[in-house]
Amino acid sequence: MKHIVLVIALFFTFQNVNAQLFTKEKVANNPDNIDQKLLSWGYFLGFNQYDFEFDYNEDLKDILVDNSFGFHLGLIGDLRINNYMNIRLEPGVFFSTRNMRYDENYFAGTDFNDSDLLREIKSTYIHVPLLLKISTKRINNFKPFIIGGFSAALNLSSNQDNPDDNSAGQFRMTKNTYFYEIGFGIDLYLLYFKFTPSIRGVFAMNNEIVKDADPNSPWTGNVASMQTRGVFINFTFQ
């Protein structure tokens, strides 16, 4: 009997909590309702983790990439289409570091040092995405959404025009990279502003590696293509 009473009590407690969270009307924060403005502005900051996806010419061991978290920040311009759709421009600056580790098989038949097996890739991107944000109906003071689109990035640390290549310790990448992006998040309506945590995946569409002068270079000779992929964790304030 005690178990039955406990189950009934838990059921009514759950029903009450559920009603308060999703059904009961609450005082709506942000009374000016930024969502009704044709144009709105904000800024974002967050963390990123970049990786590489490789295609190879020959079946050698994969090049390993040690990932670390980077930092980014930028501005937001938002154009309202209707209650559920917005177009967003989010230019920002992104900082990241990736370490590429080569297997000794890449250097078979040649003399090499331990330093030759490692290439540190420090990147600073000017990243400009054009995105479509699709939201649900606002539920009290929060509103989930999905977001996606395309972006272009200028890699200020690419070394593309550097005459030195890996034989002189310089790993080179293309200056321009083009991505598609997709993610999701939730708008939280606070008293004076809207705070939005979100997560997004980004995937390069072009080959970013700049080949060494030597076509048999152990660093680039076996790489058919190298494309960035990454994860962004954003915190937005509007």
Side-chain angles (χ1 to χ4, degrees), residues 196-209:
T196 304
S198 65
I199 186 167
R200 192 182 310 164
V202 296
F203 308 89
M205 296 184 290
N206 61 296
N207 182 14
E208 298 172 77
I209 195 167

Side-chain angles (χ1 to χ4, degrees), residues 93-104:
V93 182
F94 290 66
F95 306 93
S96 75
T97 300
R98 287 163 281 188
N99 290 322
M100 296 171 54
R101 299 187 181 275
Y102 289 82
D103 188 84
E104 293 182 4

Side-chain angles (χ1 to χ4, degrees), residues 10-232:
L10 289 173
F11 174 77
F12 280 107
T13 300
F14 173 78
Q15 288 291 94
N16 183 56
V17 171
N18 182 66
Q20 292 206 19
L21 284 175
F22 300 105
T23 306
K24 185 177 179 180
E25 289 294 327
K26 291 185 177 182
V27 175
N29 289 331
N30 195 7
D32 293 334
N33 202 346
I34 194 172
D35 290 346
Q36 298 305 312
K37 296 179 180 179
L38 178 63
L39 291 173
S40 59
W41 313 96
Y43 65 92
F44 68 89
L45 52 85
F47 303 97
N48 59 72
Q49 188 176 72
Y50 285 97
D51 195 356
F52 287 122
E53 182 176 13
F54 296 96
D55 285 327
Y56 301 100
N57 294 318
E58 298 180 12
D59 188 18
L60 298 177
K61 287 189 177 181
D62 289 348
I63 300 171
L64 302 180
V65 181
D66 297 334
N67 301 318
S68 61
F69 280 100
F71 176 74
H72 58 258
L73 71 165
L75 302 175
I76 295 171
D78 186 286
L79 173 65
R80 179 180 181 272
I81 299 176
N82 55 39
N83 288 336
Y84 304 102
M85 300 177 66
N86 299 69
I87 293 177
R88 296 168 73 91
L89 191 66
E90 298 185 356
V93 182
F94 290 66
F95 306 93
S96 75
T97 300
R98 287 163 281 188
N99 290 322
M100 296 171 54
R101 299 187 181 275
Y102 289 82
D103 188 84
E104 293 182 4
N105 289 337
Y106 282 84
F107 298 85
T110 63
D111 294 330
F112 64 92
N113 299 315
D114 289 343
S115 60
D116 293 326
L117 302 177
L118 175 67
R119 284 293 179 265
E120 184 182 52
I121 314 299
K122 291 186 176 182
S123 300
T124 301
Y125 290 104
I126 304 297
H127 189 91
V128 184
L130 183 62
L131 305 166
L132 176 64
K133 177 182 177 183
I134 302 176
S135 307
T136 67
K137 183 179 180 181
R138 176 172 170 173
I139 306 170
N140 291 320
N141 285 316
F142 64 93
K143 184 166 65 173
F145 64 87
I146 59 174
I147 192 167
F150 298 93
S151 58
L154 175 64
N155 186 353
L156 301 179
S157 310
S158 70
N159 278 328
Q160 177 176 307
D161 299 326
N162 192 332
D164 294 329
D165 61 16
N166 279 289
S167 61
Q170 298 296 321
F171 191 91
R172 300 179 298 178
M173 297 172 58
T174 58
K175 286 182 179 179
N176 299 307
T177 307
Y178 304 96
F179 300 90
Y180 66 90
E181 310 187 10
I182 188 166
F184 62 91
I186 183 168
D187 289 330
L188 302 175
Y189 295 84
L190 305 182
L191 189 58
Y192 297 110
F193 62 91
K194 182 169 67 175
F195 171 67
T196 304
S198 65
I199 186 167
R200 192 182 310 164
V202 296
F203 308 89
M205 296 184 290
N206 61 296
N207 182 14
E208 298 172 77
I209 195 167
V210 175
K211 294 281 192 172
D212 293 340
D214 180 4
N216 298 315
S217 165
W219 296 279
T220 65
N222 192 45
V223 179
S225 71
M226 182 185 77
Q227 296 174 298
T228 291
R229 56 188 179 183
V231 175
F232 297 166

